[in-house]
Amino acid sequence: MFIGGAIISFLFLFGYMWKEAHSNRIRHVTLSFPHFPDNGPPLTIFFISDIHRRSVSCRMLETVKGKADLVVIGGDLAEKGVPAARVRENVRRLQTVAPVYFVWGNNDDEVDYDLQSLLEEERVYVLKNKAEVWEHGGVPIALIGVGDVSRKEADIARALEHVPPESFRILACHNPAIIARLEDEQHISLVLSGHTHGGQIRLFSFGLYEKGGLKWHGNTALFTSNGYGTTGVPLRLGAPAETHLIKIVPGKLATEKKCLSKTGKTM
C-alpha cells in the first residue's frame, strides 16, 4: 500500500513538473523610468529566452499580436540536436508578432549548421556587440546586444560606439552576469537576460540559480527570465516556463506592475 502511494505521488509530481516545463505563460510587466520619453506611446517588448528544444506556441503568440513593438530573443534559441527547420519555424512564428532581435547564448554555437546565416535569411536582427537605434517620442531608443559573457564575447564598449548619448538604452545579454560589467557612465536603463532558467528545478526556495524577476542595480533594472525551454531534463519545479510582455513607460523609478496570462499547449 505504501509503495503504491509512493508511485502515485511520484507520477503526480512528474506530471506536474512536465506541465510546468511545457506551459505557455506570458508575464505582463510594466516598468517605469523617469527619463523615458513622455511625449510618445509606451514601448512594449515581447521577450522570450532559452527556447532550446521547444516549439513556440502559435496560440500563445496570438494573444500578443498587435501588442508588441519588437520581439527580443535572449539567447539559447537552439542547442545541440535542435534541427534547423525547428529554429526557422520558431523564428517565423515570432515574426508574426513584431520585428525580431536576437542575442547569442552559450548553447547557440552547438548546432551543426550556420545559425547566423539562417537568422540573416529570415531577416532577424542579430545583435552581437552592436546596437539598433530608432526614434520614439522624439527621443532615440537604443537596443544594444552583446555576446555571451561565459564565452568572453561580450564587448559593451564596442556595442555602444554609435549609440547617441541622449538615447534611452536597453541592453540585451543572455547572461545576467553582465550587470557586474556595467558602468554608471554607460547609462544603461534596462538589461534583459535569461540563461539561469530560474534554477529550473527548485526545492522549496532553493535552486542552483535565483528565480527570475526584476532587480535594481543603482539606476539600472536587471530583468531575468526563467526562460521558455529547459536544459538537461524537460522538467521544472518552482520556476515555471515563461515569456514576457514588457511595457516601458515614463514615471518614477523602480515601479513594477505585473500580471499573468496562460494559454494552452504548444501548437
Side-chain angles (χ1 to χ4, degrees):
M1 188 173 180
F2 173 78
I3 295 176
I7 292 174
I8 291 173
S9 297
F10 172 79
L11 292 176
F12 176 82
L13 178 61
F14 183 88
Y16 177 79
M17 293 171 71
W18 178 273
K19 182 179 178 181
E20 290 291 270
H22 294 83
S23 63
N24 292 294
R25 288 174 173 84
I26 304 169
R27 295 195 179 276
H28 298 249
V29 179
T30 300
L31 302 176
S32 61
F33 298 87
H35 49 290
F36 186 77
D38 58 5
N39 56 340
L43 176 68
T44 304
I45 300 170
F46 181 67
F47 180 54
I48 183 169
S49 185
D50 300 276
I51 296 172
H52 288 283
R53 294 182 172 274
R54 288 193 70 178
S55 293
V56 179
S57 167
C58 292
R59 184 180 300 175
M60 177 183 71
L61 296 182
E62 283 293 330
T63 67
V64 295
K65 286 182 181 179
K67 299 178 182 179
D69 300 296
L70 63 152
V71 174
V72 175
I73 303 174
D76 282 2
L77 169 61
E79 63 176 42
K80 184 177 180 181
V82 175
R86 186 183 306 164
V87 173
R88 194 180 298 275
E89 179 61 23
N90 278 339
V91 166
R92 289 178 177 177
R93 292 182 181 186
L94 290 168
Q95 283 178 325
T96 65
V97 174
V100 176
Y101 297 80
F102 167 82
V103 292
W104 291 88
N106 57 298
N107 292 122
D108 289 310
D109 287 331
E110 296 175 356
V111 297
D112 57 3
Y113 46 88
D114 188 343
L115 181 58
Q116 174 86 24
S117 295
L118 184 155
L119 294 174
E120 290 174 353
E121 289 171 10
E122 296 299 327
R123 302 181 303 283
V124 173
Y125 298 90
V126 179
L127 300 181
K128 186 173 183 179
N129 301 321
K130 62 185 293 188
E132 288 287 333
V133 182
W134 65 93
E135 290 288 322
H136 187 88
V139 175
I141 303 290
L143 178 62
I144 305 147
V146 295
D148 183 60
V149 174
S150 64
R151 293 180 177 270
K152 300 181 179 180
E153 295 176 344
D155 189 337
I156 302 171
R158 179 181 171 190
L160 290 171
E161 281 180 355
H162 303 293
V163 174
E166 71 277 14
S167 61
F168 181 85
R169 301 179 178 190
I170 303 167
L171 177 69
C173 180
H174 179 62
N175 194 323
I178 194 68
I179 196 71
R181 302 190 183 188
L182 299 186
E183 301 173 0
D184 290 342
E185 56 268 28
Q186 293 168 336
H187 301 294
I188 305 296
S189 296
L190 173 62
V191 176
L192 299 175
S193 64
H195 180 62
T196 66
H197 295 206
Q200 190 166 313
I201 296 177
R202 308 183 65 83
L203 298 177
F204 304 102
S205 60
F206 300 99
L208 292 176
Y209 295 98
E210 284 186 312
K211 198 170 181 179
L214 179 71
K215 297 181 72 173
W216 289 86
H217 295 257
N219 291 328
T220 301
L222 171 64
F223 191 88
T224 306
S225 174
N226 287 340
Y228 187 66
T230 56
T231 188
V233 294
L235 302 172
R236 284 180 175 269
L237 182 65
E242 61 184 11
T243 64
H244 311 272
L245 196 64
I246 302 172
K247 182 183 291 185
I248 303 172
V249 299
K252 294 180 180 179
L253 192 65
T255 298
E256 179 190 9
K257 300 176 182 178
K258 57 186 178 181
C259 62
L260 175 67
S261 64
K262 291 183 181 181
T263 58
K265 296 180 179 178
T266 299
M267 295 176 61

